[in-house]
Amino acid sequence: MNQSLNEPRIRAPDATNIEPAPGAYPLNAPAAPSLQDCITRYQSVIPDLANLDRQLQGRSSSSEADMLNVLIALHEQCHPLLEQAMWSGEADFHALLDSYQALFREHESLIRQRCRNAQSGDDRHHFILCIPVADRPPHLQACLESIYQVCVRFDYGGHASGAWNKIKVIVSEDSRDEANIRRHQALVAEYREKGLQVFHFGLTEQYELLHALPPQQRAQLDHLLSTQPKDRFYLKGQAANRNLSYLKFLQLTENKDNTLYYLIDSDQSLCVNRQTASGEETVFALNYFHTIDTIFRTTDTLMLTGKMVGDPPVSPSVMAANFLDDVIAFFTELAGLRGDQACQFHGLPQQQAGDAAYHDMAALFGFENRSATFPYSCRLSGTHDHVACLNDFAQRLNAFFFGEHLTRKTGFAYGSGYTQLAPARTVYPGNYIVNYAGLKYVIPFGHLRLRMSGPTAGRLIAAEIGHRFASFNMPNLHRRTTEAGPGDDFRPGVELDEASVDVSNEFERQFFGDLMLFSTEALVKQADVTRPFARDAIEAVVAQKEAELLALYQQKHDAIAERNRQLNALVFNAGHWWLQASEQASGLAHALRQVRAFIDNIERNFGEHALAWRQIQSAAHRATRKRQIVEALMNYRAERDAWDSLF
């Protein structure tokens, strides 16, 4: 079955109610039919399952308590075997996924049975999740639905009480629109009815919790939290909103030694994408809570970060050149085909977008800059021609300015497994987890409203705690836009009207966010991050990085201008078939207007007279931003010390 966010919600069966097949187990064994079924069905394709079968049959005379321990251990050995087979591409993915999910539900049932028999508690971690949200009801619904689906399909901690008692979710409000706040509250109520323990952390409660702090302490935290007045305590920014949710974490924490705090952005979901011959599908194939609990119980990790698949995590201001390359490649190929011909833009992409393939300046992050273009995959199903394909393509083009990249989405790769840890250097603000001791490693500098705050924080945190800041292979699915379209969601720094999209605010914040990031990266290599940074050291690295970035951004600026001219000439001046088709009643006039709007928006946002470009070129504007960056870095240690005092 195709497991999408839009499919009917199905409650997981209770494994304890399934009768084992006759003769499948020793007579005194607790019921584990999913394990036995998995062994029976898949031994031929997963030979290592035979060893699990021998272990199971070899304990036929064990006591019930021993058998419970054996079965739980066998489930834990079985999970990675199914994962490897599932992602190998050599077996029936969905059949294996069904077995994998059933195996976890049975595993949870056995753990509960062991706890009941021993009259002891389940000592695995409780989770408190936080979803910061500002005027984004469709995104919030998708995010909550994904959490619900993970709970249903894997049943971490169980839900015998009617609610998943190890999972709590905070929806941290930052909306300005009262109608959107009401929609968010309605979603909270809806998912509480379904068994999720969801709490709406509203603007008034946030303000009151903030002002419950002693005035002197609150003043020291101004840049990490917020100084906005009560009547305008909205759109504080993602960093301030996220940091305020830590105050709610403290309020909801019952056992600080056994609680993990999981930060998720509203435009992300706990699922991944999978490429198939018929296109991309969404699957709930990762048991996030089980894996994260295991990592924190078996390692000394303080902060864990996942990545993202799907839409890129970066601004369109650093993707425009390569996106134009791919759009030009699409129209070049289209020019050699007929409009009434069956669509040729289907099948698996010839190449998958690797690390930072979407970034115009990937080399800044240590990745190889590739000049290759990436093919467009048409999303239409059924019989259709290139006129229909072009109509749909053009309709999607301007979603680029909201961060959707039509040709360079990142796909999930299993690699060495889910639990393989690597030293981290970037905090992905929409996918990170900390234990109580890790709460002090906050994402700073929110008052500057710069982009790249997660990578900047990551450099500081990695310099301080080394390997205890780790990354793991459990990404979230990132979707910049929903079916409702770009106009239904708020995106900071992006202004939309009927004729144009303005990303100048985001573009400006990107350049100076890069300046903050790479200045910080250089600074932590030469200075002790646990002590205040010296002004002269900061100013020296900022000046050096400013010069480097200005040169790189100039190159990118010139490349965008040239590619935009090429695209305009190819689409509108070369006499290709779509110009004639646009004059027909069933033609492409509207599609070509959308392409024209895209070209105009590229010029408006990244051309010579673009507001953000003029700001970047202005020595006076740069001087103001540099002063802010220097002061923020100088104050970092004092602000961290004040923040640490909360815990």
Side-chain angles (χ1 to χ4, degrees):
M1 64 180 174
N2 185 355
Q3 296 179 298
S4 73
L5 286 173
N6 298 317
E7 70 180 11
R9 302 179 183 99
I10 304 171
R11 281 203 174 272
D14 184 350
T16 59
N17 294 329
I18 303 174
E19 291 296 324
Y25 307 100
L27 291 177
N28 66 333
S34 294
L35 177 63
Q36 186 63 51
D37 177 68
C38 176
I39 292 171
T40 302
R41 291 176 66 187
Y42 296 116
Q43 275 192 66
S44 61
V45 293
I46 310 175
D48 286 346
L49 288 175
N51 180 48
L52 303 190
D53 193 31
R54 287 191 293 271
Q55 292 182 58
L56 178 61
Q57 300 306 327
R59 300 299 296 266
S60 59
S61 61
S62 299
S63 67
E64 180 181 358
D66 284 346
M67 277 304 299
L68 275 169
N69 289 331
V70 168
L71 287 171
I72 289 169
L74 290 176
H75 278 73
E76 290 168 353
Q77 293 176 55
C78 193
H79 299 154
L81 298 178
L82 258 66
E83 290 164 11
Q84 292 163 21
M86 191 165 63
W87 291 106
S88 69
E90 299 172 1
D92 184 333
F93 179 89
H94 286 292
L96 277 166
L97 179 57
D98 287 345
S99 295
Y100 182 69
Q101 293 169 342
L103 197 69
F104 266 109
R105 295 192 296 268
E106 185 171 86
H107 184 223
E108 291 292 333
S109 178
L110 293 168
I111 291 172
R112 292 194 296 276
Q113 188 175 342
R114 180 171 65 180
C115 291
R116 285 195 301 269
N117 291 356
Q119 296 184 336
S120 62
D122 181 352
D123 63 357
R124 293 177 300 164
H125 287 96
H126 289 257
F127 285 81
I128 304 178
L129 291 79
C130 176
I131 310 169
V133 62
D135 294 303
R136 282 181 161 187
H139 275 122
L140 178 61
Q141 181 171 24
C143 184
L144 286 171
E145 178 66 16
S146 75
I147 297 168
Y148 170 72
Q149 290 291 343
V150 169
C151 288
V152 165
R153 297 173 190 277
F154 296 102
D155 204 31
Y156 177 79
H159 62 290
S161 66
W164 283 275
N165 58 16
K166 282 188 173 289
I167 310 295
K168 293 177 181 176
V169 183
I170 300 168
V171 173
S172 189
E173 189 65 74
D174 203 28
S175 301
R176 174 170 52 191
D177 190 325
E178 287 289 342
N180 284 332
I181 293 175
R182 289 193 294 272
R183 290 170 71 185
H184 294 161
Q185 290 170 328
L187 287 168
V188 167
E190 177 185 340
Y191 282 92
R192 286 183 71 88
E193 286 292 315
K194 296 179 184 218
L196 281 184
Q197 298 185 74
V198 193
F199 303 86
H200 184 258
F201 187 33
L203 304 179
T204 299
E205 184 182 2
Q206 292 173 24
Y207 185 86
E208 290 173 350
L209 269 181
L210 173 61
H211 285 263
L213 297 175
Q216 183 178 358
Q217 185 181 36
R218 190 171 69 246
Q220 294 172 323
L221 298 171
D222 278 352
H223 289 167
L224 290 173
L225 298 173
S226 178
T227 58
Q228 290 180 207
K230 188 173 185 178
D231 62 343
R232 289 192 297 105
F233 209 65
Y234 50 73
L235 301 187
K236 302 175 292 294
Q238 51 88 15
N241 190 22
R242 185 185 302 108
N243 294 344
L244 280 164
S245 71
Y246 282 42
L247 303 181
K248 188 67 174 177
F249 285 161
L250 297 179
Q251 187 182 73
L252 291 178
T253 299
E254 297 176 7
N255 179 355
K256 67 182 183 180
D257 296 324
N258 201 31
T259 302
L260 296 175
Y261 308 91
Y262 195 167
L263 282 296
I264 302 176
D265 278 351
S266 60
D267 62 359
Q268 297 187 32
S269 298
L270 296 189
C271 51
V272 293
N273 54 1
R274 175 175 175 263
Q275 288 294 337
T276 72
S278 57
E280 184 181 274
E281 67 176 358
T282 297
V283 291
F284 294 91
L286 281 63
N287 190 351
Y288 293 84
F289 302 124
H290 169 83
T291 303
I292 294 165
D293 165 73
T294 299
I295 289 171
F296 276 92
R297 280 192 295 110
T298 58
T299 71
D300 62 352
T301 301
L302 292 171
M303 174 179 267
L304 185 67
T305 188
K307 295 186 179 181
M308 288 179 265
V309 293
D311 290 327
V314 300
S315 164
S317 59
V318 292
M319 300 191 296
N322 71 70
F323 185 63
L324 283 164
D325 281 339
D326 295 348
V327 174
I328 290 169
F330 169 76
F331 275 103
T332 300
E333 184 172 357
L334 196 64
L337 304 168
R338 297 192 320 274
D340 60 357
Q341 183 180 357
C343 183
Q344 302 296 300
F345 294 91
H346 287 272
L348 287 172
Q350 297 171 7
Q351 53 188 317
Q352 296 294 314
D355 283 331
Y358 45 75
H359 203 297
D360 289 338
M361 298 178 289
L364 278 171
F365 300 88
F367 299 110
E368 180 184 354
N369 274 108
R370 304 188 190 101
S371 58
T373 58
F374 285 70
Y376 172 69
S377 292
C378 179
R379 66 176 179 175
L380 299 179
S381 58
T383 302
H384 61 279
D385 59 15
H386 290 128
V387 171
C389 175
L390 178 51
N391 268 310
D392 189 61
F393 177 85
Q395 178 185 328
R396 303 172 69 191
L397 259 184
N398 283 289
F400 169 75
F401 297 98
F402 288 80
E404 182 180 349
H405 200 306
L406 299 183
T407 50
R408 305 196 188 200
K409 295 182 186 296
T410 304
F412 176 72
Y414 179 71
S416 300
Y418 302 144
T419 59
Q420 186 73 33
L421 298 186
R425 64 174 187 172
T426 289
V427 179
Y428 286 83
N431 186 8
Y432 74 92
I433 308 97
V434 296
N435 58 15
Y436 189 87
L439 285 172
K440 63 184 180 180
Y441 301 107
V442 70
I443 298 179
F445 314 134
H447 65 294
L448 298 183
R449 303 289 183 107
L450 298 178
R451 294 189 58 79
M452 309 307 287
S453 60
T456 299
R459 272 48 170 191
L460 292 163
I461 295 166
E464 185 169 348
I465 62 175
H467 76 277
R468 302 187 75 182
F469 172 37
S471 66
F472 74 138
N473 188 27
M474 277 206 160
N476 295 340
L477 180 60
H478 184 222
R479 284 176 281 210
R480 291 289 199 185
T481 59
T482 65
E483 292 301 320
D488 199 55
D489 284 307
F490 169 73
R491 180 167 166 80
V494 180
E495 299 294 334
L496 174 69
D497 62 31
E498 291 184 4
S500 65
V501 184
D502 181 1
V503 299
S504 57
N505 178 279
E506 183 174 274
F507 186 12
E508 189 269 355
R509 292 188 296 114
Q510 179 69 48
F511 177 84
F512 292 102
D514 281 342
L515 181 57
M516 169 65 94
L517 165 61
F518 294 109
S519 297
T520 301
E521 184 176 71
L523 191 61
V524 298
K525 292 176 181 177
Q526 59 183 258
D528 183 353
V529 74
T530 65
R531 299 175 61 84
F533 297 130
R535 177 183 287 275
D536 58 350
I538 300 171
E539 289 177 340
V541 296
V542 168
Q544 177 189 348
K545 296 303 172 182
E546 176 191 27
E548 294 172 4
L549 286 171
L550 283 172
L552 284 171
Y553 268 73
Q554 182 67 59
Q555 292 173 16
K556 186 173 73 72
H557 172 78
D558 295 342
I560 291 170
E562 175 56 29
R563 286 160 172 77
N564 208 34
R565 284 192 291 271
Q566 290 177 20
L567 178 61
N568 183 72
L570 174 62
V571 176
F572 294 105
N573 299 330
H576 292 302
W577 60 261
W578 49 78
L579 295 177
Q580 286 74 44
S582 71
E583 298 171 359
Q584 301 169 9
S586 59
L588 292 162
H590 181 63
L592 291 178
R593 285 196 296 272
Q594 291 172 311
V595 177
R596 169 60 65 198
F598 171 77
I599 292 171
D600 290 346
N601 279 324
I602 289 286
E603 176 63 26
R604 180 179 296 109
N605 286 287
F606 307 120
E608 195 62 35
H609 302 292
L611 173 60
W613 182 245
R614 295 201 310 270
Q615 289 174 320
I616 291 167
Q617 294 297 299
S618 165
H621 185 79
R622 292 201 310 275
T624 298
R625 277 301 206 179
K626 285 189 294 181
R627 184 169 61 252
Q628 294 172 345
I629 289 170
V630 170
E631 290 174 356
L633 286 167
M634 287 180 62
N635 293 330
Y636 170 70
R637 192 69 250 168
E639 289 178 1
R640 262 293 309 280
D641 291 343
W643 178 258
D644 293 357
S645 70
L646 291 173
F647 313 101

